Amino acid sequence: MMDNQSLFNELVEIMNTIKPEYEEQKAAWRGSPFEWLLALPSRSVGAVGERLVHEWLIRRGFIVAKPRSGSDCDRLCYMRGNPKVIRLEIKFSTLWRQGHYVFQQIRNQEYDICFCLGISPQTAHAWAVPKDVIWSHASGQHTGRKAQDTKWLHVNPNDPPEWIQDYGGGLEKAIQSLLRYFER
């Protein structure tokens, strides 16, 4: 029978074999203007993503506001001279080790567009996808009976699925997709 210290040392040995994989991933972000995001808890990362999209859309000429408490969307988006209001759900992801973004916690709630912003060490990608489209293509995030309540979407920015290509990829293309929704 092994003692506690021997068992601990075994864990350290295993950890030392795993560690290089994660250090390599972190090295890709070294010097990136977004490197600081990696140190935040996931809930904070999501809040940063919402604020980033909010401010960025304002700089693109949109009027963006937080909805009243209890709303199912993250932001309300308007355009001067256009009476239409678009309810945005904002999803944010940094690039995962496998080279793709994972937009999580997609729910069947009251929003018109799911705005997905993905940040890589030196670039960014975005998609402004209508709710019905993203909901039909995202897959169950959890297993069990409630697997369809929450979905997620994996997108390789270098090889995005064909169905999402009309809604963005490049930042400008995502803005054009959002503008098209105001024209409907």
Side-chain angles (χ1 to χ4, degrees):
M1 183 167 202
M2 298 180 84
D3 65 5
N4 241 4
Q5 188 59 47
S6 297
L7 292 170
F8 176 78
N9 290 341
E10 190 175 292
L11 285 174
V12 170
E13 180 184 323
I14 294 168
M15 184 65 77
N16 286 334
T17 63
I18 297 170
K19 185 178 174 182
E21 293 174 43
Y22 292 91
E23 287 177 332
E24 180 181 317
Q25 178 186 359
K26 198 171 180 181
W29 288 87
R30 215 165 277 126
S32 165
F34 304 107
E35 181 179 6
W36 62 277
L37 286 170
L38 301 180
L40 296 176
S42 61
R43 184 177 295 270
S44 295
V45 171
V48 167
E50 286 182 22
R51 288 181 62 192
L52 187 57
V53 169
H54 180 118
E55 295 298 325
W56 187 66
L57 290 177
I58 287 173
R59 289 183 183 198
R60 304 278 65 76
F62 295 94
I63 300 165
V64 183
K66 281 188 173 187
R68 283 182 278 189
S69 179
S71 174
D72 277 352
C73 66
D74 293 318
R75 296 294 188 275
L76 301 172
C77 189
Y78 311 83
M79 287 184 64
R80 281 175 180 59
N82 188 323
K84 193 168 195 172
V85 177
I86 295 179
R87 297 167 298 179
L88 293 178
E89 181 66 14
I90 298 171
K91 296 299 171 189
F92 182 66
S93 177
T94 55
L95 193 68
W96 285 34
R97 184 174 41 161
Q98 297 86 349
H100 59 259
Y101 299 116
V102 180
F103 301 105
Q104 302 182 62
Q105 304 293 319
I106 298 170
R107 292 186 173 86
N108 189 10
Q109 299 176 165
E110 293 297 320
Y111 58 90
D112 304 304
I113 295 285
C114 186
F115 195 96
C116 299
L117 176 63
I119 297 290
S120 299
Q122 299 299 327
T123 192
H125 300 87
W127 295 267
V129 186
K131 176 190 168 185
D132 60 329
V133 174
I134 200 160
W135 188 252
S136 68
H137 288 91
S139 57
Q141 184 169 341
H142 302 288
T143 58
R145 224 178 323 170
K146 295 187 178 188
Q148 295 305 307
D149 291 352
T150 305
K151 295 184 176 187
W152 58 5
L153 178 66
H154 295 250
V155 179
N156 177 339
N158 297 318
D159 187 23
E162 188 174 321
W163 68 265
I164 202 170
Q165 293 177 18
D166 286 341
Y167 303 107
L171 299 174
E172 180 61 28
K173 197 168 179 185
I175 292 297
Q176 293 304 315
S177 176
L178 186 57
L179 286 169
R180 280 195 312 270
Y181 204 79
F182 278 101
E183 296 167 1
R184 288 184 182 179

